[in-house]
């Protein structure tokens, strides 16, 4: 299949006026300067003058001369005529072909235009495209667009469309072959022979089923079970059989490796088998290099969840046993306390004490009571959990050899217990551990295991192995244990900008961040800024209803007044606007927005081939609706329609619906939305919020987690999404379970690729931590979480002697500026690394938090965070408008989540995906469809406002009234039942539906 070079839209606009130039384009390309006018002045009459000017502007704008000048828009002619003080009608007399050709040659000579076919030009352009295609992973349509602009900007006359496309295609083909051959040359010949066998069929186990070894390597782990973990180890062994650590990819762009690997992971085996040998091998080599880390991540995640469930179950049984034994403890303790009280009251001689006690109670009762008390009281040293874990010893033991052999993990602190014990186990190998071994490592064992093994020497082997496994699992969960070639569990501090590179780029990054280079100056800047915040708060305190200080029991208490939603009635005008929205089915909205924005052009095939399928756009829209509505493909499939056949939809879903294509389409919606007028009444785009919507996942999955509050007894996932203050969503990410949102907040903001650049981010209290405050602050973002309770408010100071009057009693906590100064250079390096994308924020935050015992760098960032947190809290306490903006933005997020629920109505809103890619694709499809609805609603709301304004031209509709409107309304949309995918031809030219129908 040929590679798609240019889209239908690009072809239509190539070398021709596809529409009217914008005002900016008129100024940029059609403005005549003094030099232009001096040349035009030499021409004989007005028709030749304006004709020459139009040709000059046209070649500047289009990169070529038009063969038919009647296609020049009137707006261009009038713009030129106005500059020359000539009547625009004179252009109609500019028809003499020799004169037109002569003027074209004059322009080429006078303005140094070059011909595309000149050999020097061809060599130059070929090198430019070659380098662009080599290093970039962008779609070829984007590369073609950049190449077109380069030709225009460098005054190179464009050839015909076919020649232009073939030129690009030829070079891209050459680049592709060169990259593929370079990748194939990296492994040894013996490894290439083995790699070539990955796509051959072999008999699986003792069954009569034939499979492809590649399929076994790329099939993700489904759940954290023993058999899936064993399969995970088998995958790791297969990957480890190749010398990936010695493969030198330094000359190959990382993006290309990821692209080839992703295709290999998702394409059907038959597609890979049918590839030319060089391409097939290049794709397989890339897959091995990239997915070794993916396989390790999945294995470690499965091990983490598998052992965590065993440990948690043991702890749960211990808690149940403690609760059950409380009654026994009460009875036994009550009886023994009565005996002791009687002994104290009676003056019994010591030699008769025993006889007296036996008169009070039977000996057997007393012995039983003492035994019960001893058993329960000693449970701290011999917890019930230990006995439960010992009963599960085989589950630990059977995976130990594989962990020792195939997980080469490192530990941040080489003297830590986990490092010492696992080093000891590696030296011992698979040998039985005895009490003598325990004595060598007892100081490194957790206290509960140390005490237990010391008393129960026969359990030394079991106790040491289980204790070691507990330490290992805790280490990978808290990022104190690292695996070198893992993405998720590697050491994020190793991914910071290298120090030698940082020293070269430091000044540039510091200037971008607007921070001081020197730590002492930075602290002084923080001190001045914090002082100003205190002064502003004290100035506004008496006029604010947000907080007050009350005296209780001789102490002052800071009271925060809860903000309530303003129960303002919606103006009748807004209700009328909403009523005027056309009544439509959801497929009609998708079809109409695609007619306007050509969203389906954002969905490219996995291997960038041009599809020969007709009506591919219909198939893509049907799949998007099926995914977003959570109904599966069957309800939208139609046997009688080629573009809607089930097999066709399944193929499109597998090859076109991906995170990158969904993101590209969503960004296109965001761009179009920002060009409308109404969104700027709702918000400027400077503010945004992030919040999670929860979905239960009934199917077993490695990537779902427990949370009884949201999922009951089941498991689920969180779709953490980002919303602009103008209601449009600009990013979304899937999180396992309900892990603390703040870990992902900054990562999502930095990774989003839309044109929106919010500077203030709102969250609910779940997105809160001092470390996150610090990272947000140094990166130039205003982090503004909602403050719900007074006990969540803790304000800090730098100046110990400053007088903050009414706030003195509540600002006694002092920030440690010394550690900020000491760690300042590394703080800047972290900020630069996050900005440049060399490190993932979520992994970095976990590493800095270091199991609740932050590293020195983590502590320094926490101190910085306290400064920014205090500034936020002081403003929140004294500025009701600031606080209310946060509440209103969070309310917008809740309203958007309500729209999500309406769209995702199928299967009771439960996500039946097992693999992470499936979850990610489905929920981002949901986010895209929600944005399409918001864009469509806004379009028709503007039309309804325009109609109402025309009907009542005397009364201007005020922006204050329009602020009560919302694009999240959905009463006019039918989400269920009707799935017809046929374009309305009356809307092809950007026309609108009749309102209110």
């Amino acid at each position: 299949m040929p590679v798609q070079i240019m889209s239908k839209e690009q072809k239509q606009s190539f070398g021709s006026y596809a529409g009217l130039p914008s005002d900016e384009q008129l100024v940029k390309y059609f403005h005549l300067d003094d030099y232009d006018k001096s040349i035009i002045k030499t021409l004989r009459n007005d028709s030749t003058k304006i004709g020459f000017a139009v040709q000059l502007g046209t070649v500047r704008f289009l990169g070529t001369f038009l063969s038919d000048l009647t296609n020049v828009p009137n707006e261009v002619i009038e713009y030129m005529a106005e500059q020359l003080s000539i009547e625009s009608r004179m252009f109609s007399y500019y028809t003499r072909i020799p004169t037109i050709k002569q003027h074209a040659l004059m322009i080429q000579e006078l303005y140094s235009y070059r011909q595309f076919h000149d050999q020097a030009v061809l060599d130059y352009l070929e090198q430019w495209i070659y380098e662009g295609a080599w290093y970039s992973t962008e779609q070829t349509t984007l590369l073609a667009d950049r190449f077109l602009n380069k030709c225009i900007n460098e005054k190179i006359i464009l050839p015909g469309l076919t020649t232009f496309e073939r030129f690009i295609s030829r070079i891209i083909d050459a680049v592709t072959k060169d990259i593929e051959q370079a990748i194939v040359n990296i492994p040894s010949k013996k490894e290439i022979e083995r790699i070539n066998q990955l796509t051959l069929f072999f008999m699986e186990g003792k069954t009569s089923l034939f499979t492809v070894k590649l399929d076994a390597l790329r099939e993700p782990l489904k759940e954290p079970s023993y058999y899936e973990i064993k399969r995970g180890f088998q995958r790791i062994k297969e990957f480890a059989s190749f010398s990936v650590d010695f493969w030198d990819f330094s000359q190959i762009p990382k993006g290309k490796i990821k692209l080839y690997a992703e295709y290999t992971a998702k394409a059907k085996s038959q597609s890979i088998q049918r590839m030319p040998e060089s391409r097939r091998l290049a794709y397989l080599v890339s897959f091995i290099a990239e997915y070794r880390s993916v396989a390790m991540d999945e294995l470690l995640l499965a091990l983490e969840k598998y052992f965590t469930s065993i440990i948690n179950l043991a702890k749960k049984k211990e808690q149940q046993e403690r609760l059950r034994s409380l009654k026994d403890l009460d009875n036994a303790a009550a009886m023994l306390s009565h005996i002791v009280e009687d002994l104290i009251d009676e003056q019994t001689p010591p030699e008769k004490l025993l006889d007296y006690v036996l008169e009070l109670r039977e000996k057997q009762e007393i012995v039983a009571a003492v035994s019960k008390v001893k058993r329960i009281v000693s449970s701290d040293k011999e917890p019930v959990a230990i006995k439960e874990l010992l009963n599960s010893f085989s589950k630990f033991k059977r995976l130990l050899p594989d962990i020792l052999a195939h997980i080469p993990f490192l530990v941040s602190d080489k003297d830590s217990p986990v490092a010492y014990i696992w080093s000891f186990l590696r030296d011992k190998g698979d040998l039985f551990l005895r009490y003598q071994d325990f004595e060598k490592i007892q100081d490194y064992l957790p206290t509960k295991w140390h005490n237990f093994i010391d008393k129960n020497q026969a359990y030394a082997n079991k106790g040491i192995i289980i204790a070691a496994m507990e330490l290992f699992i805790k280490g990978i969960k808290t990022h104190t244990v690292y695996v070198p070639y893992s993405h998720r569990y590697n050491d994020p501090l190793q991914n910071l900008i290298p120090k030698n590179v940082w020293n070269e780029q430091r000044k540039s990054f510091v200037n971008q961040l607007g921070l001081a280079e020197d730590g002492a100056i930075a602290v002084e800047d923080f001190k001045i800024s914090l002082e100003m915040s205190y002064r502003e708060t004290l100035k506004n305190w008496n006029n604010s209803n947000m907080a007050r200080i009350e005296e209780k029991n001789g102490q002052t208490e800071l009271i925060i007044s809860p903000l309530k939603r303003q129960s303002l009635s919606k103006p009748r005008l807004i209700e009328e606007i909403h009523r005027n929205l056309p009544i439509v089915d959801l497929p009609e909205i998708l079809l109409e927005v695609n007619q306007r924005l050509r969203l389906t052009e954002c969905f490219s095939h996995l291997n960038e081939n041009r599809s020969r399928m007709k009506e591919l756009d219909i198939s893509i829209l049907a799949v998007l609706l099926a995914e977003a509505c959570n109904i599966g493909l069957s309800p939208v499939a139609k046997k009688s329609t080629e573009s809607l056949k089930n097999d066709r939809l399944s193929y499109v879903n597998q090859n076109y619906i991906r995170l990158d294509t969904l993101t590209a389409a969503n960004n296109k919606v965001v761009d179009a939305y920002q060009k409308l007028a109404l969104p700027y009444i709702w918000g400027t785009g400077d503010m945004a919020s992030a919040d999670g919507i929860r979905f239960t996942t009934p199917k077993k999955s490695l990537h779902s987690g427990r949370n009884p509050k949201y999922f009951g007894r089941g498991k689920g996932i969180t779709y953490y999404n980002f919303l602009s203050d103008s209601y449009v969503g600009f990013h979304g990410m899937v999180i396992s379970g309900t892990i603390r949102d703040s870990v992902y907040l900054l990562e999502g903001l930095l990774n989003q690729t839309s044109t929106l650049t919010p500077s203030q981010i709102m969250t609910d209290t779940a997105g809160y931590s001092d470390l996150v405050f610090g990272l947000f602050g140094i990166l130039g973002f205003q982090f503004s979480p909602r403050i719900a309770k007074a006990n969540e408010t803790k304000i800090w100071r730098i100046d110990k002697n400053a007088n903050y009057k009414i706030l003195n009693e509540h600002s006694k906590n002092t920030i440690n500026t010394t550690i900020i100064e000491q760690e300042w250079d590394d703080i800047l390096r972290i900020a630069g690394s996050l900005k440049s994308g060399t490190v993932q924020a979520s992994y970095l935050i976990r590493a800095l938090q270091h199991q609740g015992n932050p590293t020195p760098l983590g502590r320094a960032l926490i101190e910085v965070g306290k400064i920014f947190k205090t500034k936020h809290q002081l403003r929140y306490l004294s500025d009701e408008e600031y606080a209310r903006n946060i509440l209103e933005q969070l309310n917008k997020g809740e309203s958007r989540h309500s729209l999500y629920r309406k769209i995702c109505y199928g299967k009771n809103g439960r996500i039946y995906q097992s693999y992470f890619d499936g979850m990610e694709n489905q929920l981002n499809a949901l986010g895209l469809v929600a944005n399409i609805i918001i864009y469509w609603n806004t379009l028709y709301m503007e039309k309804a406002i325009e109609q109402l304004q025309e009907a009542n031209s005397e009364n201007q509709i005020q922006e204050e009234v329009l602020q009560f409107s919302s694009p999240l309304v959905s009463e006019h949309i039918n989400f269920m039942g009707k799935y017809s995918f046929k374009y309305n031809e009356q809307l092809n030219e950007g026309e609108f539906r009749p309102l209110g129908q």
Side-chain angles (χ1 to χ4, degrees):
M1 258 184 222
V3 175
Q4 179 177 349
I5 301 301
M6 299 177 74
S7 67
K8 183 179 178 181
E9 188 177 24
Q10 287 175 314
K11 290 178 181 179
Q12 288 175 345
S13 62
F14 183 86
S16 64
Y17 286 97
L20 299 178
S22 66
D23 291 342
E24 292 81 6
Q25 288 171 331
L26 284 173
V27 172
K28 182 176 181 180
Y29 297 104
F30 297 92
H31 172 73
L32 300 174
D33 60 21
D34 292 341
Y35 178 73
D36 301 332
K37 290 178 180 178
S38 68
I39 294 171
I40 294 170
K41 192 176 180 180
T42 63
L43 301 176
R44 284 189 302 174
N45 52 52
D46 288 351
S47 64
T48 54
K49 289 178 180 179
I50 193 171
F52 183 95
V54 168
Q55 285 220 75
L56 176 60
T58 297
V59 75
R60 285 172 173 172
F61 181 53
L62 300 178
T64 190
F65 298 98
L66 293 180
S67 58
D68 184 0
L69 291 175
T70 60
N71 293 325
V72 178
N74 288 331
E75 286 77 4
V76 170
I77 299 168
E78 290 171 1
Y79 186 76
M80 290 301 195
E82 185 179 347
Q83 294 181 77
L84 296 172
S85 300
I86 295 173
E87 292 184 28
S88 59
R89 66 182 180 84
M90 297 305 297
F91 183 72
S92 62
Y93 300 106
Y94 187 66
T95 57
R96 190 168 177 272
I97 300 301
T99 303
I100 293 171
K101 289 184 176 181
Q102 182 189 6
H103 285 178
L105 291 172
M106 282 179 61
I107 290 171
Q108 292 179 58
E109 184 178 347
L110 292 170
Y111 290 89
S112 302
Y113 273 89
R114 294 176 289 171
Q115 290 295 327
F116 188 89
H117 296 292
D118 289 351
Q119 191 58 49
V121 172
L122 286 173
D123 292 343
Y124 169 69
L125 293 178
E126 183 169 335
Q127 181 65 26
W128 187 89
I129 295 181
Y130 191 96
E131 291 178 359
W134 181 279
Y135 292 106
S136 174
T137 58
E138 64 188 354
Q139 294 181 19
T140 52
T141 52
L142 295 178
L143 178 62
D145 205 36
R146 290 200 298 118
F147 180 57
L148 176 64
N149 289 330
K150 182 173 183 64
C151 290
I152 291 172
N153 293 334
E154 298 202 10
K155 298 182 179 180
I156 298 170
I157 303 294
L158 295 177
L161 175 60
T162 303
T163 302
F164 186 79
E165 276 200 293
R166 285 178 178 173
F167 181 77
I168 299 173
S169 180
R170 176 177 61 79
I171 299 168
I172 288 177
D173 286 345
V175 169
T176 301
K177 289 177 182 177
D178 289 350
I179 289 178
E180 289 169 359
Q181 191 58 52
I183 293 173
V184 173
N185 291 338
I186 291 173
S188 65
K189 289 185 178 180
K190 287 186 177 180
E191 286 182 313
I192 285 293
E193 290 175 5
R194 289 180 50 228
I195 290 170
N196 208 10
Q197 294 174 2
L198 290 178
T199 55
L200 300 179
F201 286 98
F202 72 98
M203 187 176 290
E204 188 175 17
K206 297 179 180 178
T207 68
S208 58
L209 297 175
F210 282 87
T211 186
V212 176
K213 184 171 283 189
L214 175 63
D215 291 342
L217 281 179
R218 61 186 183 168
E219 184 182 355
L221 300 186
K222 295 177 182 177
E223 57 179 319
S225 66
Y226 170 72
Y227 292 105
E228 280 294 280
I229 289 172
K230 288 296 289 184
R231 186 168 71 83
F233 274 114
Q234 188 58 41
R235 290 170 77 202
I236 290 297
K237 291 176 189 176
E238 290 289 344
F239 281 115
S241 67
F242 299 99
S243 305
V244 178
D245 289 331
F246 298 97
W247 291 0
D248 182 9
F249 288 96
S250 59
Q251 302 302 313
I252 313 295
K254 290 183 179 179
K256 296 291 186 183
I257 299 295
K258 288 185 177 181
L259 193 68
Y260 294 171
E262 183 181 357
Y263 178 78
T264 309
K266 295 181 179 179
K268 290 183 178 180
S269 298
Q270 296 91 322
S271 299
I272 299 170
Q273 289 167 342
R274 288 196 295 264
M275 287 179 174
E277 184 180 37
S278 180
R279 175 166 298 176
R280 182 176 68 252
L281 290 172
Y283 276 55
L284 290 171
V285 170
S286 300
F287 169 77
I288 292 167
E290 186 66 21
Y291 271 73
R292 176 180 71 152
S293 298
V294 174
M296 179 60 79
D297 283 349
E298 289 181 3
L299 175 60
L300 290 171
L301 181 60
L303 284 169
E304 177 190 327
K305 293 197 170 190
Y306 177 73
F307 285 121
T308 297
S309 66
I310 296 172
I311 294 166
N312 287 344
L313 182 61
K315 289 179 179 178
K316 184 178 179 180
K317 287 185 177 180
E318 180 179 63
Q319 291 171 350
Q320 292 172 343
E321 176 63 21
R322 277 187 165 278
L323 291 172
R324 188 191 65 76
S325 61
L326 282 177
K327 186 175 180 180
D328 292 342
L329 177 62
D330 287 345
N331 294 335
M335 183 179 72
L336 294 175
S337 65
H338 287 315
I339 294 173
V340 173
E341 286 176 1
D342 288 341
L343 287 174
I344 292 172
D345 292 340
E346 293 290 331
Q347 300 297 321
T348 307
E351 63 274 9
K352 295 184 177 182
L353 281 177
L354 180 59
D355 294 334
Y356 180 74
V357 168
L358 293 177
E359 288 177 12
L360 297 175
R361 294 279 180 170
E362 292 289 334
K363 181 177 180 180
Q364 189 175 352
E365 285 184 87
I366 298 172
V367 171
V370 171
S371 175
K372 285 180 181 177
V373 172
K374 285 178 67 179
R375 177 171 57 82
I376 295 168
V377 170
S378 67
S379 63
D380 284 338
K381 295 182 180 179
E382 296 181 13
V384 175
I386 283 185
K387 295 181 180 178
E388 293 296 333
L389 290 172
L390 291 172
N391 291 336
S392 301
F393 172 69
S394 62
K395 296 179 180 179
F396 292 91
K397 173 63 178 175
R398 61 188 178 180
L399 289 173
L400 178 64
D402 283 327
I403 294 175
L404 287 170
H406 302 295
I407 302 183
F409 65 86
L410 305 172
V411 182
S412 54
D413 181 1
K414 294 182 180 179
D415 296 323
S416 66
V418 64
Y420 190 88
I421 290 173
W422 278 89
S423 175
F424 180 81
L425 289 178
R426 290 187 193 284
D427 292 340
K428 291 289 291 185
D430 199 21
L431 298 176
F432 188 86
L433 299 170
R434 305 183 184 280
Y435 185 75
Q436 291 81 354
D437 297 312
F438 161 74
E439 291 178 320
K440 296 175 183 177
I441 61 172
Q442 59 181 320
D443 293 340
Y444 294 91
L445 288 170
T447 304
K448 66 177 183 180
W449 286 106
H450 177 280
N451 293 337
F452 177 80
I453 297 171
D454 197 33
K455 284 188 175 183
N456 303 273
Q457 297 182 13
Y459 288 97
N461 183 57
K462 292 183 177 180
I464 292 171
I465 289 174
I466 297 173
M469 208 68 79
E470 279 191 289
L471 288 171
F472 170 66
I473 296 302
K474 187 177 181 181
I476 61 175
K477 286 173 72 174
T478 57
H479 274 250
T480 55
V481 166
Y482 305 116
V483 178
Y485 56 86
S486 162
H487 293 315
R488 182 186 179 102
Y489 297 96
N490 70 350
D491 184 359
L493 296 178
Q494 296 299 315
N495 294 328
L496 298 180
I497 297 173
K499 287 201 172 182
N500 60 326
V501 178
W502 171 247
N503 290 334
E504 296 173 2
Q505 301 178 349
R506 186 179 191 275
K507 193 172 187 66
S508 174
F509 270 115
V510 170
N511 289 336
Q512 289 178 34
L513 295 167
L515 297 170
E517 284 194 70
D518 182 74
I521 296 174
V523 167
E524 187 61 29
D525 290 344
F526 287 143
K527 182 179 178 181
I528 294 169
S529 176
L530 188 58
E531 185 72 22
M532 290 174 64
S533 293
Y534 269 106
R535 287 180 186 175
E536 188 68 20
T537 298
L538 292 170
K539 174 184 167 185
N540 298 332
W541 187 266
N542 292 331
N543 299 321
S544 172
N545 297 319
M546 284 302 301
R548 64 187 185 278
I549 293 177
E550 294 181 356
E551 199 167 311
K552 290 184 179 180
N553 302 322
Q555 291 185 335
T556 59
E557 186 175 340
L558 182 61
I559 307 294
I560 297 178
S561 303
L563 265 180
K564 296 181 180 178
R565 297 188 184 188
Q566 293 177 321
S567 56
L568 300 174
S569 59
K570 193 180 293 183
R572 267 186 282 179
L573 178 65
I574 299 304
E575 293 180 354
E576 190 172 353
I577 291 170
H578 290 168
R579 277 199 305 271
N580 279 337
L581 294 176
I583 298 171
V584 290
D585 297 329
L586 180 56
E588 292 180 289
I589 293 179
L590 301 185
L591 289 162
E592 183 177 344
V593 171
N594 194 51
Q595 283 174 286
R596 294 177 180 276
L597 304 183
R598 300 180 184 271
L599 291 180
T600 51
E601 291 184 0
C602 297
F603 292 85
S604 59
H605 191 278
L606 258 174
N607 64 357
E608 285 288 337
N609 284 343
R610 180 193 298 141
S611 175
R612 292 174 179 167
M613 292 189 294
K614 293 182 179 180
E615 297 185 336
L616 174 61
D617 51 342
I618 296 293
S619 304
I620 290 171
L621 294 176
V623 172
L624 284 177
L625 183 139
E627 290 287 282
C629 293
N630 200 30
I631 56 176
L633 298 177
S634 296
V636 299
K638 288 185 179 179
K639 292 181 180 179
S640 59
T641 305
E642 187 65 32
S643 60
L644 294 175
K645 286 183 178 180
N646 205 302
D647 288 349
R648 163 88 165 255
L649 296 179
S650 179
Y651 175 84
V652 168
N653 194 16
Q654 184 177 17
N655 290 281
Y656 288 87
I657 308 300
R658 309 185 302 278
L659 181 61
D660 62 305
T661 56
L662 290 163
T663 300
N666 194 66
N667 288 346
K668 199 167 189 178
V669 175
V670 171
D671 289 345
Y673 185 76
Q674 293 300 108
K675 293 175 182 176
L676 303 177
L678 197 50
Y680 290 93
I681 293 175
W682 297 319
T684 62
D686 291 332
M687 295 190 298
S689 58
D691 198 6
I693 179 171
R694 324 294 178 179
F695 294 92
T696 55
T697 51
K699 289 182 73 173
K700 289 182 178 180
S701 172
L702 186 62
H703 302 284
S704 56
R706 296 188 183 278
N707 189 316
K709 178 180 176 181
Y710 298 104
F711 311 130
R713 294 184 176 182
K715 294 182 179 181
I717 54 176
T718 297
Y719 181 51
Y720 198 52
N721 52 104
F722 293 73
L723 179 72
S724 167
D725 55 5
S726 63
Y727 288 103
V728 71
F730 59 92
H731 188 61
M733 55 202 302
V734 176
I735 300 172
S736 173
T738 56
I739 297 172
R740 187 173 177 85
D741 295 344
S742 63
V743 174
Y744 294 92
L745 178 61
L746 184 59
E747 183 172 307
L749 189 63
L750 291 173
N751 290 349
Q752 72 96 5
T753 57
S754 79
T755 52
L756 289 172
T757 55
S759 58
Q760 184 180 1
I761 311 298
M762 284 92 162
T763 69
D764 217 332
T765 50
Y768 170 100
S769 79
D770 288 346
L771 185 58
V772 170
F773 257 112
L775 290 172
F776 264 86
I778 61 172
L779 288 169
F781 297 113
Q782 170 64 53
F783 183 38
S784 303
R786 181 174 67 92
I787 301 174
K789 302 173 184 176
N791 60 9
E792 294 172 358
T793 306
K794 192 172 185 180
I795 53 180
W796 298 74
R797 63 166 66 208
I798 292 177
D799 187 349
K800 295 180 181 179
N801 302 316
N803 181 11
Y804 298 136
K805 299 177 182 179
I806 197 171
L807 294 175
N808 276 335
E809 287 297 312
H810 303 278
S811 59
K812 292 181 178 180
N813 304 293
T814 306
I815 290 164
N816 179 0
T817 57
T818 303
I819 195 170
I820 296 175
E821 287 190 41
Q822 292 171 345
E823 301 289 336
W824 185 245
D825 189 60
D826 280 338
I827 288 174
L828 292 175
R829 186 168 160 232
I830 276 183
S833 300
L834 287 168
K835 274 282 190 183
S836 60
T838 64
V839 65
Q840 287 280 73
S842 60
Y843 302 157
L844 178 65
I845 289 170
R846 290 196 192 99
L848 294 172
Q849 287 172 338
H850 202 261
Q851 195 179 334
N853 183 26
T855 63
L857 180 54
R859 290 201 304 274
L861 276 165
I862 287 171
E863 295 301 311
V864 172
K866 290 173 182 176
I867 297 170
F868 288 103
K869 179 183 70 174
T870 300
K871 287 166 63 65
H872 159 66
Q873 290 178 329
L874 287 172
R875 188 174 178 187
Y876 193 98
L877 296 175
S878 61
D879 187 342
E880 183 173 345
E881 183 181 356
Y882 176 75
R884 189 160 295 284
N885 282 340
I886 296 171
L887 179 65
E888 289 177 357
Q889 180 61 27
L890 294 177
N891 290 342
K892 289 179 182 179
E894 290 179 10
S895 298
R896 184 180 173 92
H897 287 178
S898 297
L899 179 60
Y900 281 154
R901 294 295 183 195
K902 290 180 182 179
I903 300 170
C904 188
Y905 69 87
K907 301 169 188 173
N908 295 318
R910 295 171 180 165
I911 304 300
Y912 282 80
Q913 298 277 1
S914 295
Y915 301 132
F916 185 79
D917 283 353
M919 296 173 179
E920 191 173 51
N921 291 345
Q922 182 171 356
L923 293 180
N924 278 287
L926 173 61
L928 172 59
V929 169
N931 262 6
I932 290 172
I933 290 172
I934 289 168
Y935 171 75
W936 187 91
N937 279 348
T938 306
L939 269 178
Y940 278 92
M941 287 170 68
E942 288 190 350
K943 194 69 178 174
I945 292 166
E946 181 184 325
Q947 189 179 84
L948 289 170
Q949 190 67 68
E950 288 175 357
N952 189 7
S953 57
E954 295 180 2
N955 296 320
Q956 185 72 25
I957 299 176
Q958 300 298 314
E959 288 189 4
E960 292 77 8
V961 176
L962 293 177
Q963 286 178 349
F964 287 90
S965 62
S966 166
L968 298 174
V969 291
S970 59
E971 290 75 11
H972 57 293
I973 303 172
N974 176 33
F975 294 100
M976 306 182 196
K978 294 185 179 180
Y979 306 119
S980 175
F981 290 89
K982 187 176 181 181
Y983 285 115
N984 185 338
E985 294 182 3
Q986 295 178 355
L987 306 176
N988 281 340
E989 302 301 323
E991 297 297 318
F992 285 83
R993 299 171 186 273
L995 297 179
Q997 297 180 23

